[in-house]
Amino acid sequence: MDTMLKSNPQTQQRSNHNGQETSLWSSGFGMKMEAITPFLGKYRPFMGRCCQTCTPKSWESLFHRSIMDLGFCNVILVKEESTRFRGWLVRRLCYFLWSLEQHIPTSFDASQKIMENTGVQNLLSGRVPGAAGEGQAPELVKKEVQRILGHIQTTPRPFLLRLFSWALLWFLNRLFLNVQLHKGQMKMVQKAVQEGSPLVFLSTHKSLLDGFLLPFVLFSQGLGVVRVALDSRTCSPALRALLRKLGGLFLPPEVNLSLDNSEGILARAVVRATVEELLTSGQPLLIFLEEPPGSPGPRLSALGQAWLGVVIQAVHAGIISDATLVPVAIAYDLVPDAPCNMNHDLAPLGLWTGALAVFRRLYNCWGCNRRVCVRVHLAQPFSLQEYTINARSCWDSRQTLEHLLQPIVLGECSVVPDTEKEQEWTPPTGLLLALKEEDQLLVRRLSRHVLSASVASSAVMSTAIMATLLLLKHQKGVVLSQLLGEFSWLTEETLLRGFDVGFSGQLRCLAQHTLSLLRAHVVLLRVHQGDLVVVPRPGPGLTHLARLSMELLPTFLSEAVGACAVRGLLAGRVPPEGPWELQGIELLSQNELYRQILLLLHLLPQDLLLPQPCQSSYCYCQEVLDRLIQCGLLVAEETPGSRPACDTGRQHLSAKLLWKPSGDFTDSESDDFEEPGGRCFRLSQQSRCPDFFLFLCRLLSPILKAFAQAATFLHLGQLPDSEVAYSEKLFQFLQACAQEEGIFECADPNLAISAVWTFKDLGVLQEMPSPTGPQLHLSPTFATRDNQDKLEQFIRQFICS
């Protein structure tokens, strides 16, 4: 360790202009402190268990407690022992020999089987009304089917796959420090393979590199060639041709034509036949449930839902008896290809452009120690058939945000309706619209359920913890010794909440590695006592730190929602700048807390919350309240004249149970659970509570402040306008406010888009047709300045200044 942390004189002499700053980064921080290991001790949570409500049989069958102790493996660490050969030459050619030893199953009759598919044969014979085969020569239709099939896939080339695996392994070892995978998670997947159902991996999408990295990880673990459903918008035609030979799948553009279009009917039939052939042959399929990184818009991928709908259709049609779904999450210290400008769509990646980007990345990494770590997480597999049967019983009626929240915002009503919120931002594709309405709902809720499980099981990286501390607690700078202590505290808090971290090692070395990765966004200043001060760079640096801190939000989401709800409840009673002791005097009833939590849940987008469809809002409210009590922010208060909660001496057995199954707190008997008046709470007066309460509130500050500024933007009268143009103007307004107020974490184009869509759902904005296309108009209800002020006031009550 002493060798690692010594100053490097060669590095200090590279440039006189930044020599002082370089010496700070390479000198091991100049600190004299003992290396400590406050975490990575005896307990690390095993994450990723499937939903016990929707898939109880899978929850029991594919898990054993012994697999929790199997530990991690570095997937890209291939040595002489990884091959069947030994010797000095093997040590130099181990990557290439390893790729030659991997088993690659080949199937050269896949195209013929697709042509013999029943759906395709019906089209060729003209038995489908309105399809392309009706009234046309079979040979012409067959050529059209082959053309569409060639756009979707080609037979993978084994030699090309081995060559690409060798090159990718070499590249990954120079790009990443390690790619960690839990052996117990892989054992669960291998056990699911033995049951005979085809595997469908449903993954998050953090980087364009995911489409190469995840198939390589699964390929290296003996799962064969994984077919990857890719987005044709991100690839040029030449790159698509190469990726198809490596196992890529692309949807033909004809699938999005209208349901009665003959070419659309033919394309959708060929896509279904292709997926059915892949599933029956047992080939694994990888689908990304998130939109490509850097693309503004909804979080859930329309393309991913389309492919998932085809899988569900194959199971319902009896083509396969069942499919095993595996949620996948991937976490990076820093995303390798994160775009600098998040405000514009990414151009399609060309073959030569991609090669140039690879060489540029290798050049930047040459002689550089700032390589990132990666964690791949495979959650517990579960049965699609079991989920389909059990999930339908959890469906209930839902209402739009306009019916739920608008009367309360305007002060016309004080009671929150007893229904769930319906909010769907992902536009349906032609493949999804071709399904029955019930199956469309199943696809949407399943994709949201799996994405929620994947995000919740993703490991928290060191950069996310460091960025959160710098953004929320130390925007004006912090001494490094204090930052190390808070880094240890936040890591332990993460582990205590059942979330794993994607790093290990000594605290001092971790800080050096993390701050070196964030070098472009922070400044190190040496003080006279030999310590260092870490200061975030203003402007875009804070915006980047805000994006990194969002990776930590799922860990503290329940507490953050509860803290903001408490802030909203106290907003009308105690001034925000009042002392903590004054706020602790106020008595908070359970019913009032439930109401505030529900209001905030309805306001926040589902793309941020990712609630599980099987969990009701009232059940989530109880979970939020329990978390606030567990973390010590709320303390139960005994009301005058009531029997203490611990007094059970004279209680009698009640005819009604004190609990209900399935989290059902929504019927008329729910009022019988609590004593008259409900339970009451106060804010805890412990010394650590004010800082922790402020920390939790600030986790949701970026999106809440963006919504509040969007309400202020209504006063400027920028409507009518198109949605894209209005979102761009709102983003420019957020940037102007950031420059004026110094709150750069709100200047994010995705937050501007979320605000516009939320205001559309709330009935603030209305979309109307026009000769130039759909135009956004201010609704008559919010045309008055008074109602606009009420909207802004409603949002700002949850913001803690």
Side-chain angles (χ1 to χ4, degrees):
M1 175 181 168
D2 294 333
T3 305
M4 178 187 301
L5 299 179
K6 283 182 180 179
S7 174
N8 186 355
Q10 295 180 356
T11 304
Q12 297 178 8
Q13 297 173 2
R14 288 181 183 176
S15 173
N16 295 329
H17 179 70
N18 58 354
Q20 182 179 1
E21 183 179 356
T22 304
S23 66
L24 294 178
W25 286 101
S26 59
S27 62
F29 302 133
M31 296 181 58
K32 297 181 180 180
M33 61 176 295
E34 296 295 330
I36 56 175
T37 54
F39 32 80
L40 298 184
K42 299 180 180 179
Y43 173 74
R44 297 190 68 151
F46 187 85
M47 304 161 58
R49 298 296 302 274
C50 61
C51 180
Q52 195 172 8
T53 302
C54 301
T55 52
K57 294 182 180 178
S58 301
W59 191 84
E60 296 177 354
S61 61
L62 296 176
F63 177 80
H64 193 272
R65 299 194 65 86
S66 61
I67 67 177
M68 299 171 59
D69 303 325
L70 294 181
F72 294 88
C73 66
N74 184 7
V75 177
I76 61 175
L77 182 61
V78 175
K79 301 186 294 185
E80 176 186 3
E81 291 77 11
S82 305
T83 67
R84 294 182 292 120
F85 309 99
R86 298 293 182 270
W88 67 270
L89 185 60
V90 175
R91 286 191 290 272
R92 286 155 179 80
L93 300 176
C94 57
Y95 289 0
F96 183 72
L97 293 175
W98 174 86
S99 64
L100 291 179
E101 292 181 353
Q102 301 304 307
H103 175 64
I104 300 179
T106 57
S107 176
F108 296 101
D109 59 345
S111 299
Q112 183 62 32
K113 291 180 180 179
I114 294 174
M115 296 297 296
E116 295 173 356
N117 183 273
T118 304
V120 176
Q121 287 296 317
N122 291 337
L123 291 171
L124 293 177
S125 60
R127 289 194 293 267
V128 178
E134 188 178 20
Q136 297 185 18
E139 290 299 325
L140 295 177
V141 181
K142 187 175 181 179
K143 289 182 179 180
E144 183 66 14
V145 170
Q146 292 174 344
R147 184 193 66 81
I148 296 174
L149 184 58
H151 186 97
I152 300 173
Q153 68 154 14
T154 57
T155 303
R157 306 294 194 268
F159 173 75
L160 191 60
L161 281 168
R162 298 185 192 279
L163 183 63
F164 185 78
S165 298
W166 165 72
L168 185 60
L169 179 60
W170 183 86
F171 172 69
L172 294 177
N173 274 277
R174 279 147 185 83
L175 184 61
F176 301 129
L177 280 175
N178 51 59
V179 179
Q180 296 291 335
L181 176 67
H182 198 285
K183 297 178 183 178
Q185 297 170 359
M186 194 64 236
K187 189 171 183 179
M188 287 193 303
V189 175
Q190 292 171 347
K191 185 178 180 181
V193 172
Q194 298 174 0
E195 295 188 354
S197 298
L199 294 180
V200 180
F201 296 92
L202 304 174
S203 175
T204 59
H205 204 359
K206 302 299 181 184
S207 164
L208 295 178
L209 193 62
D210 295 348
F212 302 99
L213 178 59
L214 290 178
F216 174 81
V217 170
L218 300 174
F219 174 73
S220 67
Q221 301 302 308
L223 294 181
V225 180
V226 180
R227 311 304 297 270
V228 188
L230 298 172
D231 191 351
S232 58
R233 298 173 299 174
T234 61
C235 306
S236 67
L239 184 58
R240 287 200 300 266
L242 174 62
L243 294 178
R244 277 193 289 265
K245 296 178 182 179
L246 296 173
L249 301 172
F250 296 92
L251 283 181
E254 294 86 355
V255 297
N256 291 320
L257 296 176
S258 60
L259 298 182
D260 57 352
N261 186 281
S262 59
E263 295 181 0
I265 295 175
L266 179 62
R268 288 187 285 270
V270 177
V271 171
R272 286 193 293 268
T274 303
V275 174
E276 290 171 3
E277 195 279 327
L278 291 177
L279 295 176
T280 52
S281 61
Q283 299 183 60
L285 178 62
L286 172 61
I287 299 173
F288 291 105
L289 291 181
E290 282 185 310
E291 284 291 344
S295 60
R299 186 172 187 176
L300 279 170
S301 169
L303 180 69
Q305 289 187 350
W307 285 105
L308 182 58
V310 178
V311 174
I312 291 177
Q313 194 174 19
V315 174
H316 288 178
I319 305 300
I320 54 175
S321 59
D322 196 4
T324 302
L325 306 183
V326 185
V328 182
I330 185 167
Y332 298 88
D333 277 339
L334 284 180
V335 178
D337 55 359
C340 297
N341 187 1
M342 299 284 290
N343 193 31
H344 296 89
D345 293 336
L346 295 178
L349 183 64
L351 189 59
W352 296 111
T353 307
L356 183 62
V358 169
F359 287 120
R360 186 184 297 114
R361 187 70 187 181
L362 290 176
Y363 176 78
N364 294 334
C365 294
W366 192 268
C368 176
N369 293 325
R370 298 197 302 270
R371 292 186 294 168
V372 303
C373 302
V374 186
R375 169 73 71 83
V376 177
H377 182 93
L378 303 177
Q380 184 178 4
F382 63 91
S383 166
L384 173 59
Q385 192 73 267
E386 182 186 10
Y387 177 86
T388 303
I389 296 173
N390 295 330
R392 297 184 191 276
S393 61
C394 299
W395 294 356
D396 48 14
S397 60
R398 295 172 181 257
Q399 289 186 359
T400 63
L401 188 61
E402 181 176 358
H403 290 89
L404 289 174
L405 212 55
Q406 189 184 103
I408 299 176
V409 171
L410 299 178
E412 300 172 355
C413 178
S414 60
V415 179
V416 184
D418 189 11
T419 56
E420 303 295 322
K421 177 177 67 173
E422 180 63 38
Q423 188 177 63
E424 187 58 51
W425 287 353
T426 304
T429 60
L431 273 174
L432 191 61
L433 292 174
L435 300 178
K436 299 178 181 178
E437 186 175 352
E438 186 178 9
D439 290 339
Q440 294 180 32
L441 184 60
L442 175 64
V443 170
R444 292 192 182 101
R445 299 198 175 179
L446 174 60
S447 58
R448 191 172 295 279
H449 200 299
V450 174
L451 184 58
S452 174
S454 299
V455 171
S457 61
S458 180
V460 178
M461 308 304 285
S462 60
T463 49
I465 293 180
M466 187 69 72
T468 303
L469 292 173
L470 293 175
L471 178 72
L472 304 185
K473 303 190 71 174
H474 306 294
Q475 285 195 20
K476 296 183 179 180
V478 59
V479 179
L480 185 59
S481 56
Q482 179 184 352
L483 184 61
L484 292 179
E486 293 183 352
F487 186 94
S488 173
W489 161 76
L490 193 52
T491 302
E492 292 174 350
E493 290 289 336
T494 301
L495 294 173
L496 286 174
R497 282 161 175 78
F499 287 78
D500 199 4
V501 293
F503 53 88
S504 62
Q506 296 170 331
L507 181 59
R508 187 177 174 186
C509 297
L510 276 173
Q512 182 181 18
H513 168 74
T514 305
L515 289 175
S516 65
L517 293 176
L518 300 176
R519 183 174 184 173
H521 312 291
V522 298
V523 178
L524 294 186
L525 304 174
R526 190 186 299 277
V527 294
H528 66 280
Q529 297 178 352
D531 206 345
L532 294 181
V533 175
V534 184
V535 183
R537 297 182 189 269
L542 290 178
T543 305
H544 185 81
L545 293 179
R547 295 194 189 108
L548 288 175
S549 67
M550 291 299 292
E551 301 295 327
L552 191 67
L553 182 58
T555 307
F556 297 92
L557 182 58
S558 297
E559 291 99 322
V561 170
C564 291
V566 172
R567 176 63 259 163
L569 193 57
L570 294 174
R573 307 181 185 179
V574 181
E577 63 276 3
W580 182 260
E581 293 78 9
L582 182 61
Q583 300 184 34
I585 298 176
E586 294 295 325
L587 203 61
L588 310 175
S589 71
Q590 177 172 308
N591 294 334
E592 292 175 328
L593 287 170
Y594 275 178
R595 181 180 180 276
Q596 287 297 116
I597 295 172
L598 274 177
L599 292 178
L600 185 55
L601 288 178
H602 290 331
L603 176 64
L604 295 175
Q606 287 193 347
D607 278 7
L608 175 72
L609 297 173
L610 289 178
Q612 292 188 348
C614 60
Q615 185 183 36
S616 68
S617 296
Y618 283 92
C619 184
Y620 190 85
C621 288
Q622 184 60 51
E623 178 184 339
V624 169
L625 191 58
D626 291 342
R627 289 290 186 91
L628 291 179
I629 298 173
Q630 290 171 6
C631 69
L633 283 179
L634 288 184
V635 179
E637 180 75 12
E638 302 293 346
T639 58
S642 64
R643 183 174 64 244
C646 58
D647 183 11
T648 59
R650 291 177 293 174
Q651 292 185 11
H652 300 281
L653 293 177
S654 175
K656 299 183 181 296
L657 294 174
L658 296 181
W659 53 269
K660 280 192 174 183
S662 305
D664 183 13
F665 296 95
T666 61
D667 62 359
S668 59
E669 297 179 356
S670 60
D671 295 336
D672 296 330
F673 285 99
E674 302 296 340
E675 299 175 359
R679 300 162 62 191
C680 293
F681 304 91
R682 293 186 191 273
L683 287 175
S684 174
Q685 296 301 308
Q686 297 181 18
S687 58
R688 69 176 185 87
C689 287
D691 288 340
F692 189 51
F693 181 82
L694 189 61
F695 169 80
L696 293 175
C697 289
R698 285 179 175 173
L699 282 172
L700 290 175
S701 289
I703 189 168
L704 290 175
K705 289 179 179 178
F707 281 13
Q709 291 174 352
T712 305
F713 187 64
L714 296 175
H715 304 335
L716 303 183
Q718 298 293 325
L719 294 171
D721 203 345
S722 66
E723 181 179 308
V724 175
Y726 185 74
S727 300
E728 176 68 24
K729 291 178 182 179
L730 176 58
F731 173 59
Q732 294 174 359
F733 178 76
L734 295 179
Q735 287 181 313
C737 293
Q739 294 290 342
E740 181 180 349
E741 303 175 6
I743 310 176
F744 292 93
E745 57 267 28
C746 302
D748 193 310
N750 286 328
L751 294 181
I753 294 174
S754 296
V756 172
W757 288 355
T758 301
F759 283 9
K760 286 174 60 179
D761 294 343
L762 189 56
V764 179
L765 304 176
Q766 294 179 347
E767 195 171 62
M768 298 182 180
S770 71
T772 59
Q775 296 281 310
L776 285 180
H777 293 257
L778 195 60
S779 68
T781 306
F782 287 90
T784 62
R785 182 66 177 263
D786 185 34
N787 286 345
Q788 294 175 10
D789 292 338
K790 288 180 180 179
L791 174 63
E792 183 178 357
Q793 183 180 2
F794 174 80
I795 298 172
R796 289 195 180 277
Q797 67 174 326
F798 300 108
I799 301 175
C800 190
S801 58

